[in-house]
Every structure is written in C-alpha cells, then in structure tokens.
Amino acid sequence: MKVIFFSAKSYDREFFEAENRAYGFDLSFIDTDLSLETVLLAKEADAVCAFVNDTLDAQILGSLAESGVRSIALRCAGFNNVDLAAAKRLGIRVGRVPAYSPYAVAEHAVALILALNRKVHRAYNRVRESNFSLEGLMGFDLHGTTVGVIGTGKIGQIFVGIMKGFGCEVLAYDPYPSEKAASLGAKYVSLEELYQRSSIVSLHCPLSPESHHMIDEAAIEKMQDGVMLINTSRGALVDTAALIQGLKLRKIGHVGLDVYEEEADLFFEDLSTQVMQDDIFARLTTFPNVIVTGHQAFLTSNALRNIAQTTLGNLKAFADGAECPNELSV
Ligand code: NAI
C-alpha cells in the first residue's frame, strides 16, 4: 500500500519509518500541507496520512477519491478538519489516534507552570548576558497552592496527580466528574468556586460550541488577582483579546499557552524571516509573564511512537478490509 504523508516533519519520518519495518508499507513524506493546490501529489497513493492543519473538505476528498485514495489516517486525535459525511459518501475510510500520551500534555502544562513561576525563561536570558541580578525573579512555593483543573479526562487526571504530588490543593470542574480524579485528591466544585479560589487555572477540556471562549472577560473577572492561566488544550477556549486586557490590568499574573486560537497560520512552521502579521499574537509575546510554545505539548518520543504504531495499525486494518476500533463515522 502506498501512503503519502502531508505536513510531514523530520520527527514524523523518523518514527513512522522505524515502526513501518513491521508493516512494509510504501511511505512517502512531503512537508507541504494538504490543500487544493497540493492534492494532486496524492494521485499515486492508496492512502493519505494527514495532521491537524491539513484540509480534508468535500472538494479535496472528492479529488482524492478520483485519484484512487481509499483511506485517510489522521496522525492526531482531533478530526474537525475532515468532512466525515463526504468521506462516507465517497467510500473513504477515516481513522485517527484517539490517545497517544496523556502524560506528554499534562507534563508540558506543569513545565509551563514551573517556568512561569520561577521565571526560568528570564533567568536563562539574564545569565547568558552575565546578568546575575535576582530582581524580578521571585516565585512562590507550589506546595500549598490551590490549582483549578477544568476538564478531568485522560490528561486532566494525570495533571491532578502531578499537582497533588507537589502538595497543591486541587479543585476540579467537569460536567462528568471522574472517580479517578477524585481518588487522586481532586475536589469537584462549581466553575464559579474554582475561579474564585484557584491561584493557577489549567484547561484540559475539549473545544466545543459550549466551551468556545469559556475564558472571557467575565470569567477572568471572577478569578483571583494575579492568577496564572495555563492552556494546553485548544486555543479558542480562551478569548485572546480578553486575556491581553487581563494582563494589561495585571488581573492575570502569568499566562502559559501551548495553543492559540489563530495558530493554523503560524504554528509548526519556521516563520523567523517573515514579518508577523498577527498583531494579537505579536502583543502576547511582548509580556514578560507570558510563555507561548507552538503546540508542542504532545511532542515526546513516547507519544510519537504511539502515534506511529496506532496510525499504521489503522492503515493495516483499512488495507485488509478489517474492522478498525479507531475508525471515525459520521
Ligand atoms: P478527554 O476526552 O479524555 O477529557 C476531556 C474532559 O473534558 C472530559 O472529562 C469531559 O467531560 C470534559 N469536558 C468537556 N466539556 C467540558 C467543559 N465545558 N468544561 C469542563 N470540562 C469539560 O480528553 P483528553 O485526552 O484529556 O484531552 C483534553 C484536551 O487536550 C483535548 O481536547 C485537546 O484539545 C487537548 N490536547 C492537546 C494537545 C497538545 O499537544 N497541546 C495534545 C492532545 C490533546
């Protein structure tokens, strides 16, 4: 089976080629994303492997079907970029990787908290310039701090366990509370109480019409002065304009983001020689108390190995005409 990978990076190639020794598929990797302009590159392929910012709308799926593509393997969990109804109509099977390493994402959220609190990003730059002044570098003990966790699914539960390990009091909000999170020591409260009592708020819930911009001006207003906000879930959970206002008013003390609502035009590419066109993002990066990483929370060797194994397993099931537990249906 010939599989073409769109938006492929060096780490995709490394892990997929290693895992493919067990499958023997014919893999080819291109770094451009899948769009109307690039869809013809798949004309020799039986299957397409795509990532979060590849477009799989009805028109592109139609073109893929005409070229003989019969399956799509998403090497990610989210599938909001795929027109599943069109895929079904065209007889294209679609699979995804529902979970690859919740530890990777939970641990990255903790990395952001520690770096922001102890100003590691600022200290790193200072020491490189032989500036050993400690002015402005004061943090606080995590031990005894109250942390609010919004969303206690796979990632949120691991985050709860880590923060309990630091000796934090952990408050949680989830419309479907988890026994596991409670047994790890999270105390379920209303969203209102979580905002009022937490010094750190970390988002671990999916983006949906209900959760879109859940962190807006009104939510920020309810939070503690100097709150630290961490978002490793999806950018549009946060109204970035309201976030910037909260930072300017010093209502928000620290922000750690691995996701950004307009990230599709920025993340995963080296734009260092270009002029930044997104003024809101540009403003965000001027704050000394904000750290933004470019959607890298998933990026551990463990997660990449799991992604490659599951994706190739999905493709094997599709090639064999077998059932696939990770297949998406409308
Ligand atoms: P999950 O599906 O296991 O858990 C999500 C939890 O959020 C569920 O318990 C659900 O009941 C809860 N929830 C749903 N709507 C909510 C709301 N409005 N308020 C509070 N809780 C709500 O998902 P998992 O695997 O823990 O992933 C969480 C999020 O992490 C994903 O949705 C994804 O956006 C993000 N993610 C980010 C990655 C990164 O590299 N930055 C990588 C993987 C996932």
Side-chain angles (χ1 to χ4, degrees):
M1 178 157 72
K2 266 177 121 61
V3 187
I4 183 161
F5 285 62
F6 284 91
S7 307
K9 305 293 177 201
S10 60
Y11 46 82
D12 293 313
R13 180 188 283 263
E14 180 188 340
F15 282 86
F16 273 93
E17 283 181 342
E19 296 302 322
N20 190 43
R21 287 192 202 110
Y23 292 91
F25 294 139
D26 177 357
L27 310 183
S28 60
F29 299 87
I30 55 167
D31 61 3
T32 47
D33 56 353
L34 176 57
S35 65
L36 266 185
E37 287 75 45
T38 60
V39 68
L40 281 180
L41 293 169
K43 67 177 183 304
E44 308 274 289
D46 306 300
V48 161
C49 184
F51 196 51
V52 289
N53 292 330
D54 290 315
T55 309
L56 288 148
D57 59 17
Q59 196 177 358
I60 288 173
L61 287 167
S63 175
L64 290 175
E66 256 176 50
S67 324
V69 169
R70 288 286 159 265
S71 36
I72 308 278
L74 299 172
R75 53 182 192 281
C76 53
F79 51 91
N80 51 298
N81 51 338
V82 188
D83 185 335
L84 290 177
K88 187 172 181 191
R89 216 169 41 243
L90 294 161
I92 296 180
R93 296 179 73 183
V94 184
R96 67 167 181 144
V97 186
Y100 30 89
S101 174
Y103 298 98
V105 184
E107 289 171 11
H108 192 75
V110 179
L112 290 173
I113 291 172
L114 289 169
L116 283 164
N117 176 21
R118 306 309 298 267
K119 282 93 180 149
V120 175
H121 55 305
R122 304 189 64 203
Y124 173 81
N125 284 326
R126 277 193 198 180
V127 170
R128 282 165 68 93
E129 290 187 0
S130 301
N131 175 358
F132 302 106
S133 161
L134 301 183
E135 293 295 333
L137 298 186
M138 190 171 61
F140 55 89
D141 286 7
L142 280 177
H143 184 91
T145 294
T146 302
V147 179
V149 185
I150 300 181
T152 51
K154 293 180 284 295
I155 296 168
Q157 286 169 24
I158 289 161
F159 181 77
V160 168
I162 299 173
M163 298 323 288
K164 287 303 290 184
F166 275 108
C168 297
E169 182 187 4
V170 178
L171 305 179
Y173 171 77
D174 192 309
Y176 303 96
S178 120
E179 274 179 30
K180 169 97 187 292
S183 73
L184 287 166
K187 183 175 172 240
Y188 281 95
V189 294
S190 66
L191 203 47
E192 195 99 350
E193 185 176 346
L194 185 147
Y195 288 151
Q196 276 166 10
R197 291 183 49 203
S198 303
S199 305
I200 301 172
V201 174
S202 192
L203 305 178
H204 298 288
C205 58
L207 178 63
S208 64
E210 297 77 50
S211 63
H212 183 265
H213 282 188
M214 69 183 292
I215 305 298
D216 58 5
E217 195 185 336
I220 292 167
E221 184 54 42
K222 290 176 190 152
M223 293 182 194
Q224 288 195 355
D225 291 348
V227 66
M228 180 189 292
L229 182 77
I230 304 293
N231 186 9
T232 55
S233 284
R234 283 293 176 265
L237 292 171
V238 177
D239 175 348
T240 316
L243 190 72
I244 288 173
Q245 194 55 22
L247 281 158
K248 284 168 75 177
L249 295 171
R250 296 173 184 267
K251 172 75 184 172
I252 301 178
H254 301 90
V255 172
L257 304 177
D258 187 50
V259 285
Y260 168 59
E261 49 184 333
E262 302 299 335
E263 71 179 51
D265 293 336
L266 302 173
F267 286 5
F268 307 120
E269 302 304 329
D270 178 359
L271 306 179
S272 54
T273 57
Q274 298 187 19
V275 173
M276 170 62 64
Q277 298 298 323
D278 183 331
D279 291 349
I280 294 182
F281 187 82
R283 180 67 176 105
L284 259 187
T285 59
T286 65
F287 293 98
N289 48 351
V290 173
I291 296 180
V292 185
T293 53
H295 208 138
Q296 72 171 75
F298 74 99
L299 196 68
T300 66
S301 54
N302 317 62
L304 289 174
R305 199 169 301 114
N306 290 339
I307 289 170
Q309 281 168 356
T310 306
T311 305
L312 293 173
N314 293 346
L315 285 168
K316 172 93 173 77
F318 293 157
D320 294 348
E323 275 201 23
C324 173
N326 305 317
E327 183 164 3
L328 292 163
S329 53
V330 185

